[in-house]
Amino acid sequence: MEPSEIQKLANLAMLDINEETAKETASSITDVLALIDQLQAADTDGVAPMAHPLDAVQVLRADNITESDQRDTLMTVAPQTDSGLFLVPKVVE
Amino acid sequence: MQWETVIGLEVHVQLATQTKIFSGASTVFGAEPNTQACAIDLAMPGTLPSPNAKAFEYAILFGLAIDAEIGERSVFERKNYFYPDLPKGYQTTQLDEPIVGAGIVDIALEDGTVKPIRIHHAHLEEDAGKSLHEDFIGMSGIDLNRAGTPLIEIVSEPDMRTKEEAVAFARKLHSIVTAIGIGDGDMSQGSMRFDVNISVRPKDQAEYGTRTETKNLNSFKFMERCIEQEVQRQIEVIEDGGTIRQETRLYNGDTHTARAMRSKEEANDYRYFPCPDLLPVHFTPEAIEALRATLPELPDARKTRFEENFGLSPYDATIIALDANTAAFFEVCAKQCDDAKLTANWLMGEMASQLNSNDLTIKDSPITAEQLAGLITRIKDGTISSKIAKKVFEAMWQGEGDADTVIEKQGLKQVSDTGALEKIVDDIIAANPAQVANFVNAEPEKRKKMLGFFVGQSMKASKGQANPQALNQILMTKLNQAANS
């Protein structure tokens, strides 16, 4: 991995990292990738891809309303609100 | 150069569940902002998704309705991107193992043929919240009531070649969704939204051209206009020597124009990975079959029934069977007046054009199925001509009562009485000696053509109320008498 690739991933993840961190992360991830290469060498023919490490099936819930309006409580942790809306720095696309 | 348009659709359908796909918060439209957004919808730390069985059942019903393979095992992925109306920083969606696999949706074309449109797959996912940009200086307001509303995204293959096919396909999906009751189909509330992929290529070229995607169209009309404009734009760009950029465009329903979105670099790198918070979801073949047994009559089956039981043409049957309300209206009317063909003609003619120009659906028609049957009965028994019937229909639409009332009140009854018709014909013949002379002097085989003048004049004199067959016969007899005397 190159530090530039790390910077690109950091941008996508909205992480602000400096050059030094990018360099360190690149080298440690390169080590991890070596491990993954080793895993890739294993013969997985006829093995179904794993979607989850737990060998279990998702339990589904009945379609009944169980949540009541908690807006006022939830808004106490928001930096800024107005007229029942969460306010964020302007986003326009 | 001859150009061919290639269109593929991605259709988002909000599922009509009571609660969100991953939380027990209500999905009712129009609530005060953020009153239906719970801790899970807000992605509060420590919360876990709790999947709604109904959303899966609805998605499976859709799959069964289009004869698709159903994923007995389906898996959720995280689609990562940052936007304030997506609190988790990722959308929970499906990628490699969707709940609905490949299927087929048939559409009827104007020429009466049926074209199959392939569905690539349909997957379950969550809707995002809404951003309001207008009311706050330097800030955007976020309403997360819609966040987590269950959606199925239906992805077609690029099988459509005209805007008419695309609209027919969209309408067909709408009819299936409403017929099986998995969505309310209310487009004005965003219950069904279309993303349209459009490209053009020279008519005989095998490879597709570069495509653009126009997002979030929420009406059939907008979709039609958008395709028209985008096809035109692409052809102009290419013919001027330019190339089409692969881009996402946003359609503005107020100005009827689309513009390219400012696409951020690497915006499409979503870094999907399986969602560790959700286990694979399993449905047994028995559970899927049990759902199949609950499917109501689908538009295609209804179409076949209308062809077989009412003798409708495939095209008429397709149009009428598409919408459940139109179909019900048709059945009541056709049974009562005992004339399916006339009922179909009126429904697709006068009724459709009135509904269209008033922007109404058949549910809002001021004329009931029984009333239309009453009107058709009066055409069939000769009380009024088809031409006068349109006048009566107009009056019925304006709320002037049923057909018999209007006919009586406006004195529109057709004149079949031979004496009265003969009087009219005699007057016309007496008043037009020159034309009568022409008729008499013409070759017999040319006379038939010349009859039109007399028919027109007599019809006018009868204020359109003369029975056309009776009138024709009397005219023929009288003019031939004149010719032979």
Side-chain angles (χ1 to χ4, degrees):
Chain A
M1 286 289 270
E2 296 299 322
S4 62
E5 292 173 279
I6 299 297
Q7 280 292 3
K8 182 182 152 185
L9 285 172
N11 282 343
L12 286 170
M14 295 274 235
L15 294 173
D16 186 14
I17 58 169
N18 59 30
E19 239 173 86
E20 199 184 327
T21 315
K23 231 185 256 172
E24 278 170 25
T25 314
S27 97
S28 55
I29 287 194
T30 302
D31 291 345
V32 176
L33 287 178
L35 178 67
I36 289 180
D37 279 341
Q38 217 176 322
L39 285 172
Q40 296 273 34
D43 180 9
T44 56
D45 277 359
V47 179
M50 184 179 73
H52 201 279
L54 293 183
D55 190 15
V57 168
Q58 182 67 48
V59 175
L60 304 178
R61 147 185 78 81
D63 184 27
N64 298 323
I65 297 174
T66 52
E67 298 285 345
S68 55
D69 173 19
Q70 304 282 330
R71 184 174 79 183
D72 293 344
T73 314
L74 290 165
M75 283 200 161
T76 58
V77 295
Q80 221 179 326
T81 61
D82 190 346
S83 319
L85 297 165
F86 295 101
L87 292 192
V88 298
K90 193 157 193 111
V91 276
V92 175
E93 170 62 84
Chain B
M1 170 150 357
Q2 283 268 60
W3 294 94
E4 182 175 59
T5 306
V6 176
I7 303 167
L9 254 58
E10 289 164 27
V11 184
H12 288 91
V13 178
Q14 278 184 356
L15 298 177
T17 53
Q18 301 294 309
T19 65
K20 308 274 175 85
I21 184 168
F22 297 125
S23 84
S26 170
T27 54
V28 172
F29 181 83
E32 282 296 303
N34 291 309
T35 54
Q36 293 176 168
C38 70
I40 294 176
D41 307 326
L42 262 54
M44 285 296 172
T47 55
L48 280 173
S50 172
N52 181 349
K54 201 79 183 175
F56 290 83
E57 291 168 15
Y58 281 172
I60 291 171
L61 281 177
F62 175 77
L64 294 170
I66 62 162
D67 262 327
E69 303 155 35
I70 306 299
E72 290 178 20
R73 170 184 129 125
S74 69
V75 172
F76 284 96
E77 310 262 341
R78 292 184 176 183
K79 177 181 180 180
N80 298 281
Y81 66 94
F82 287 99
Y83 205 75
D85 59 23
L86 185 79
K88 287 186 294 192
Y90 59 85
Q91 182 191 32
T92 307
T93 179
Q94 300 188 308
L95 187 67
D96 292 329
E97 295 182 78
I99 182 96
V100 175
I104 296 277
V105 170
D106 286 335
I107 57 169
L109 306 180
E110 287 261 4
D111 66 4
T113 57
V114 166
K115 176 171 178 174
I117 305 294
R118 292 168 301 152
I119 302 294
H120 181 271
H121 78 273
H123 64 257
L124 271 168
E125 63 185 27
E126 59 185 338
D127 210 341
K130 273 184 182 157
S131 308
L132 304 149
H133 303 299
E134 278 79 34
D135 302 330
F136 310 96
I137 298 159
M139 306 292 272
S140 293
I142 308 293
D143 175 8
L144 295 168
N145 277 351
R146 200 181 65 180
T149 297
L151 299 173
I152 47 170
E153 178 175 338
I154 304 158
V155 181
S156 88
E157 298 284 358
D159 284 353
M160 289 149 275
R161 293 291 173 270
T162 63
K163 62 177 194 290
E164 288 79 12
E165 289 182 16
V167 171
F169 174 70
R171 284 187 186 278
K172 183 65 180 283
L173 285 184
H174 185 270
S175 79
I176 293 172
V177 163
T178 49
I180 62 181
I182 65 167
D184 63 17
D186 189 336
M187 317 237 292
S188 64
Q189 296 180 0
S191 299
M192 205 165 173
R193 312 190 294 263
F194 306 99
D195 300 343
V196 189
N197 290 299
I198 303 169
S199 65
V200 298
R201 62 179 172 188
K203 190 106 200 163
D204 46 10
Q205 180 182 307
E207 312 90 71
Y208 294 130
T210 306
R211 66 163 194 260
T212 63
E213 180 180 23
T214 306
K215 275 194 174 300
N216 263 334
L217 298 157
N218 67 349
S219 95
F220 300 127
K221 259 185 207 158
F222 287 177
M223 194 168 115
E224 198 167 344
R225 280 205 202 181
C226 154
I227 295 172
E228 215 167 88
Q229 290 175 10
E230 179 58 11
V231 167
Q232 196 56 38
R233 188 190 71 86
Q234 290 190 10
I235 291 174
E236 278 167 16
V237 168
I238 299 171
E239 289 189 340
D240 289 348
T243 49
I244 301 300
R245 258 193 331 156
Q246 185 163 353
E247 63 189 6
T248 304
R249 301 172 66 81
L250 261 190
Y251 189 78
N252 183 329
D254 296 326
T255 60
H256 297 298
T257 51
R259 60 175 177 83
M261 286 170 74
R262 267 178 294 161
S263 46
K264 291 185 202 104
E265 230 182 308
E266 299 154 335
N268 283 327
D269 192 347
Y270 292 124
R271 292 149 295 135
Y272 283 90
F273 65 89
C275 181
D277 286 348
L278 288 160
L279 293 158
V281 177
H282 283 226
F283 272 83
T284 62
E286 293 74 31
I288 293 168
E289 284 316 302
L291 283 169
R292 191 194 298 276
T294 69
L295 276 179
E297 185 182 45
L298 293 168
D300 281 348
R302 197 150 58 210
K303 166 190 172 270
T304 311
R305 185 163 62 83
F306 283 179
E307 282 179 53
E308 286 169 0
N309 295 5
F310 291 98
L312 290 188
S313 72
Y315 181 72
D316 290 0
T318 309
I319 300 287
I320 289 169
L322 197 57
D323 169 62
N325 292 317
T326 308
F329 190 107
F330 167 80
E331 284 197 68
V332 170
C333 185
K335 274 182 194 147
Q336 191 180 316
C337 71
D338 196 27
D339 197 319
K341 182 62 197 160
L342 269 181
T343 302
N345 289 350
W346 278 87
L347 266 181
M348 290 158 53
E350 298 300 305
M351 180 63 94
S353 80
Q354 279 287 8
L355 291 174
N356 266 341
S357 53
N358 292 289
D359 213 11
L360 297 174
T361 69
I362 193 120
K363 270 197 290 189
D364 316 310
S365 163
I367 300 176
T368 65
E370 289 81 3
Q371 286 173 333
L372 183 63
L375 175 64
I376 293 171
T377 305
R378 289 297 163 256
I379 302 169
K380 290 182 54 172
D381 68 14
T383 308
I384 51 172
S385 67
S386 313
K387 209 168 153 199
I388 291 291
K390 288 188 183 167
K391 216 165 142 183
V392 177
F393 182 87
E394 188 76 36
M396 289 166 73
W397 184 276
Q398 301 303 334
E400 292 176 32
D402 64 15
D404 287 344
T405 311
V406 173
I407 293 165
E408 183 65 30
K409 211 164 60 184
Q410 301 195 10
L412 295 172
K413 213 165 163 191
Q414 182 161 268
V415 182
S416 304
D417 168 50
T418 319
L421 290 178
E422 280 184 345
K423 166 93 180 56
I424 290 172
V425 168
D426 287 341
D427 289 350
I428 294 298
I429 288 177
N432 297 283
Q435 277 81 0
V436 175
N438 278 345
F439 183 90
V440 169
N441 296 328
E443 301 289 317
E445 57 267 26
K446 286 193 181 155
R447 284 180 185 164
K448 209 165 181 176
K449 262 190 170 170
M450 302 174 76
L451 194 65
F453 166 79
F454 296 98
V455 173
Q457 292 294 314
S458 310
M459 204 40 118
K460 213 164 136 194
S462 80
K463 300 198 183 71
Q465 283 165 245
N467 178 320
Q469 287 85 16
L471 180 66
N472 258 331
Q473 204 164 14
I474 291 169
L475 263 173
M476 233 12 201
T477 318
K478 296 234 172 215
L479 286 169
N480 282 332
Q481 272 170 11
N484 298 330
S485 63

